[in-house]
């Protein structure tokens, strides 16, 4: 099969709805600054796992593309990234601290109960010092905001290079 035939087999790439960063540059710059301070003090691999998991839940293809590539570039294993969408059934791939962070990520991302359950928060608080826990919640909150921009404006996945936006 030729390259042209292989390419023709794929669906057409959708164009973004709006280049929002161009139209709201101050908001974009503020998000970049917020993102850079939210990750301070967090393990880079944990930070990427949290971003990937929130992006899976929010179905943000652009952020999944970006953070999967960044996680792999940071030395994360393919196996752990692949298993992330089923982390509850793949617990043995993660540390207890990472599991607490993933559980908290889901609770903060999907607020269907209107709150983060006390037991989820307590588990995370048992693995993170208070300052680190505050940073973790900030990182979860920031990726959720990024996901909303990505999904709303249909940002196109597949073109990101690791570290491109750092």
């Amino acid at each position: 099969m030729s390259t042209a035939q292989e390419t023709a087999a794929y669906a057409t790439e959708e164009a973004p709805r709006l280049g929002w960063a161009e139209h709201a540059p101050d908001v974009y710059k503020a998000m970049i600054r917020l993102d850079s301070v939210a990750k301070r003090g967090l393990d880079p691999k944990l930070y990427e796992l949290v971003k990937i998991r929130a992006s899976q839940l929010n179905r943000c293809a652009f952020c999944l593309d970006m953070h999967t590539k960044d996680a792999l570039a940071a030395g994360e294993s393919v196996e752990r990234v692949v298993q992330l969408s089923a982390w509850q059934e793949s617990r043995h791939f993660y540390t207890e601290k990472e599991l607490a962070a993933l559980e908290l990520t889901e609770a903060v991302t999907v607020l269907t109960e209107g709150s983060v359950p006390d037991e989820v928060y307590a588990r995370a608080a048992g693995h993170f010092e208070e300052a680190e826990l505050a940073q973790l919640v900030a990182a979860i909150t920031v990726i959720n905001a990024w996901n909303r921009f990505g999904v709303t404006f249909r940002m196109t996945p597949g073109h990101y290079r690791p570290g491109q936006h750092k």
Side-chain angles (χ1 to χ4, degrees):
M1 186 180 261
S2 74
T3 304
Q5 289 172 321
E6 289 174 2
T7 303
Y10 292 105
T12 303
E13 182 178 285
E14 289 189 76
R17 288 178 170 152
L18 177 72
W20 76 272
E22 298 165 20
H23 297 286
D26 291 340
V27 174
Y28 179 76
K29 290 173 191 171
M31 286 294 298
I32 294 289
R33 285 191 306 273
L34 184 59
D35 196 43
S36 71
V37 296
K39 68 182 175 184
R40 287 185 189 159
L42 294 177
D43 174 79
K45 289 182 185 178
L46 174 68
Y47 177 70
E48 293 301 337
L49 291 175
V50 163
K51 287 184 142 194
I52 293 167
R53 187 61 191 135
S55 299
Q56 289 171 336
L57 293 167
N58 290 321
R59 299 176 56 157
C60 183
F62 180 84
C63 293
L64 279 171
D65 180 52
M66 175 187 293
H67 298 297
T68 298
K69 289 173 179 175
D70 282 345
L72 295 171
E76 187 54 81
S77 73
V78 170
E79 192 170 48
R80 283 170 34 104
V81 170
V82 168
Q83 292 298 318
L84 196 53
S85 65
W87 67 267
Q88 295 95 335
E89 293 80 24
S90 305
R91 296 176 66 82
H92 60 285
F93 287 98
Y94 308 98
T95 67
E96 290 298 321
K97 185 175 184 175
E98 290 168 336
L99 291 169
L102 293 172
E103 186 178 30
L104 184 62
T105 298
E106 290 195 6
V108 171
T109 300
V110 184
L111 290 171
T112 54
E113 301 300 315
S115 67
V116 172
D118 289 339
E119 62 275 8
V120 171
Y121 185 86
R123 255 189 300 284
H127 290 281
F128 293 88
E129 297 293 327
E130 288 181 346
E132 189 180 20
L133 183 57
Q135 290 298 127
L136 176 61
V137 172
I140 295 166
T141 302
V142 172
I143 188 57
N144 273 278
W146 280 120
N147 290 164
R148 271 102 181 122
F149 287 116
V151 171
T152 301
F153 295 119
R154 197 183 290 135
M155 294 173 67
T156 308
H159 304 286
Y160 178 77
R161 293 176 317 280
Q164 179 179 339
H165 294 300
K166 292 190 180 207

